Amino acid sequence: MRCPTCGTAWREQPECPRCGSDLAPLMRLSAEAWRHRIAAADSLAGERWSEALHHAREANRLQRTETGDGLLLLALLLAG
Ligand SMILES: [Zn+2]
């Protein structure tokens, strides 16, 4: 993840180490997206395709990641 203000890469800190921007809201979004990716993977494992699609879409809406893209593609294919 990168700070939206100055573009510095950051990890697990609620404040940007470079410009001091409050990154807590971003961290919450990131955690929420992570939960949706886990739920999407669980749904795929349980062959609940439309549920997987819902979670994969939500995850990528909150935070787009390569893993999220992969889950979304898989869910789209399986949900037909
Ligand atoms: Zn910053």
Side-chain angles (χ1 to χ4, degrees), residues 3-79:
C3 169
T5 308
C6 71
T8 295
W10 60 278
R11 274 170 204 280
E12 319 280 322
Q13 299 135 316
E15 199 174 88
C16 176
R18 184 163 158 204
C19 73
S21 285
D22 178 17
L23 301 173
L26 267 183
M27 288 180 76
R28 276 196 296 276
L29 271 185
S30 184
E32 184 72 19
W34 179 79
R35 278 194 291 275
H36 277 294
R37 283 195 296 276
I38 297 292
D42 276 354
S43 304
L44 285 173
E47 301 186 6
R48 298 184 304 276
W49 313 135
S50 60
E51 197 180 309
L53 186 57
H54 163 76
H55 287 297
R57 278 198 173 124
E58 280 298 294
N60 257 20
R61 188 177 62 78
L62 294 166
Q63 181 196 24
R64 190 150 181 217
T65 63
E66 271 184 44
T67 309
D69 280 349
L71 283 168
L72 184 55
L73 181 62
L74 201 55
L76 277 168
L77 288 169
L78 292 166

